[in-house]
Amino acid sequence: MIVGRIVAGIGNGLNTATAPVWQAETSKAAWRGKLVVIEMILNIAGFSLSNWVTYGFSFVGGPVSWRMPLVLQFIFIFVLFATTPWLPESPRWLIAHGRIEEAEKIIADLEATTIDDPWVVTESKEIQWAADFERENGMSWTDLLKGKTGAGNTCTIRRLLLGAGTQAMQQLAGINVTSYYLPTVLVESVKLENSLARLLAACNSVSYLLFSLIGIPNVERWGRRKMMMYAAAGQCFCYLMITILIRYSEILEENAATKIASASIAFFFLYYVFFGIGWQGVPWLYPTEINSLAYRTKGAALGTATNWAFNFMVVEITPIGIQSLQWKFYIIWTIFNASFVPIVYLFYPETADRTLEDIDRLFRDDARIFVFRDKDAISEKRPLKYVEHYENEVRRNSSVISANPEAMKKRLASVAKANEKEGWGHDEKV
């Protein structure tokens, strides 16, 4: 069992560090947020399914009660094995490794166009420029740990901290106080029976899943900043009400105490509504957007490691905290959620409706730590200067076949060879 947990932990860590990065690098700016949020909603669907499976098998005696939930996980492993080989490689990864022609083909396929489309040419050039800039000005992990900042103003350390910060805040919002221990919380703090507590936890997971769907159309409309700030404010309110209700349930007579404690259940459910909309998907999305090409995978891995480290901490302290501090334990999460609002407002730039190269340009052009006064940094819509730059590049490349001269020569040669094979005359061109 211990070996299985270790193997599953490593595999889950690799998946959660890789999948959001791949999703972000193969998506349009307008769809990037939605697709990563959908990815996280499927994660919630799995969480909900596991709750119901656990609840159902809690009525079954013997080894099957724990063996069958483990066996059911093989279904999803087989699905991954069957579908992953068909996925295209990230075009940004390909360009970073010098495989420009392959990258352009994938960009064209993702946009359902041809490789000589000016948009494909411009996109390829933008990514190549970003990759070259990072290659010339990037730093190793050793340099970062020594505190070096580099010559190209890439703001690497700051971007890594911003991405990892969202993952830390997600866990410090108190989600796993309820995700892992909601039955325990309902039994210990609300004084429910174990079977009813398990049933409510399973029902809550369905509510969590349904309300998380609200984030899909709004992650681009509201932007990352507003979703995190509004959700944190809502979560703060929920934990404040839980704290107050459980506090009074401990000092009143038994009948009144039971009623007041039961009222807190509504705020546990409401907490999941706010978290599902704002903090479930965005912390996984943000590190893949805010980090540069050279550090995107590393930034996502650091964010994932941060998430699981704080996850472990919260899971370890929760049972002890509930027993030792009782109602005071919930004050901790109230304060944390309240603090996230000014943190996001002051330090976190908006990434919605921007290409990944737009975000690189933001940090190169303006390295101010406090972003709340910079309209371009906090706007939910793509800043006009980025739109104009991109349109100018598309017009400039409208007569270019490829951003890669070598690929252009190969394509011209293949066209000539095809002409000869088909018997076209010297003056006839395909």
Side-chain angles (χ1 to χ4, degrees), residues 125-414:
K125 279 190 172 182
E126 288 280 301
I127 298 171
Q128 286 181 62
W129 193 93
D132 291 340
F133 185 88
E134 285 293 330
R135 195 176 294 115
E136 293 170 4
N137 299 283
M139 295 176 293
S140 66
W141 282 107
T142 304
D143 291 335
L144 289 174
L145 292 174
K146 289 179 179 178
K148 295 181 180 180
T149 57
N153 196 32
T154 57
C155 299
T156 302
I157 297 176
R158 177 185 166 198
R159 295 163 80 172
L160 288 170
L161 291 175
L162 287 172
T166 59
Q167 294 281 28
M169 287 189 286
Q170 185 195 57
Q171 291 302 315
L172 294 175
I175 181 60
N176 281 314
V177 173
T178 53
S179 289
Y180 278 87
Y181 292 113
L182 185 56
T184 302
V185 168
L186 295 177
V187 170
E188 295 288 337
S189 297
V190 187
K191 311 303 180 186
L192 296 182
E193 294 181 359
N194 185 59
S195 60
L196 179 58
R198 286 182 177 275
L199 177 60
L200 285 174
C203 292
N204 185 51
S205 68
V206 176
S207 170
Y208 182 23
L209 173 62
L210 294 176
F211 280 101
S212 294
L213 298 173
I214 297 174
I216 297 175
N218 294 310
V219 68
E220 299 296 344
R221 185 181 306 164
W222 297 342
R224 321 306 190 233
R225 284 166 51 86
K226 284 184 178 178
M227 287 189 76
M228 289 192 288
M229 288 189 291
Y230 293 165
Q235 291 162 195
C236 174
F237 170 74
C238 291
Y239 263 118
L240 177 63
M241 294 304 299
I242 290 168
T243 302
I244 293 170
L245 291 169
I246 292 179
R247 163 66 177 132
Y248 278 99
S249 73
E250 293 179 0
I251 61 175
L252 296 176
E253 296 180 358
E254 185 175 351
N255 290 336
T258 301
K259 292 179 181 178
I260 290 178
S262 298
S264 69
I265 297 173
F267 292 98
F268 281 112
F269 273 69
L270 183 60
Y271 171 87
Y272 272 90
V273 172
F274 287 114
F275 185 89
I277 294 172
W279 280 93
Q280 168 59 21
V282 174
W284 293 98
L285 169 64
Y286 202 84
T288 68
E289 297 180 312
I290 202 67
N291 285 294
S292 63
L293 178 60
Y295 282 89
R296 190 163 295 128
T297 304
K298 297 181 181 73
L302 179 62
T304 300
T306 302
N307 185 287
W308 290 113
F310 279 91
N311 182 319
F312 176 78
M313 181 196 73
V314 171
V315 169
E316 286 295 306
I317 68 173
T318 293
I320 302 169
I322 292 174
Q323 292 177 3
S324 303
L325 300 176
Q326 299 178 336
W327 67 273
K328 297 174 186 175
F329 180 67
Y330 302 101
I331 297 175
I332 298 170
W333 315 109
T334 304
I335 294 172
F336 270 133
N337 280 289
S339 70
F340 298 158
V341 178
I343 289 172
V344 173
Y345 178 76
L346 293 173
F347 301 110
Y348 278 77
E350 183 58 67
T351 58
D353 198 30
R354 291 154 173 79
T355 67
L356 299 177
E357 288 66 44
D358 287 344
I359 299 167
D360 287 338
R361 194 168 286 111
L362 168 68
F363 283 98
R364 287 196 304 269
D365 296 344
D366 189 350
R368 284 180 291 180
I369 294 177
F370 294 98
V371 300
F372 66 99
R373 292 181 179 176
D374 185 346
K375 292 183 179 179
D376 287 339
I378 64 174
S379 171
E380 293 89 22
K381 298 298 181 183
R382 191 181 187 189
L384 183 60
K385 64 180 182 181
Y386 297 149
V387 175
E388 292 175 344
H389 168 80
Y390 205 79
E391 289 177 348
N392 290 335
E393 288 298 312
V394 171
R395 281 194 291 269
R396 187 177 300 153
N397 295 316
S398 60
S399 60
V400 180
I401 294 179
S402 170
N404 179 12
E406 291 299 321
M408 180 178 69
K409 291 177 183 178
K410 289 180 181 179
R411 288 195 199 103
L412 289 173
S414 65

Side-chain angles (χ1 to χ4, degrees), residues 43-70:
N43 187 297
I44 301 171
F47 168 71
S48 178
L49 178 62
S50 69
N51 270 277
W52 284 105
V53 169
T54 302
Y55 176 70
F57 279 92
S58 67
F59 296 98
V60 179
V64 71
S65 64
W66 62 269
R67 290 184 187 275
M68 187 55 69
L70 291 177

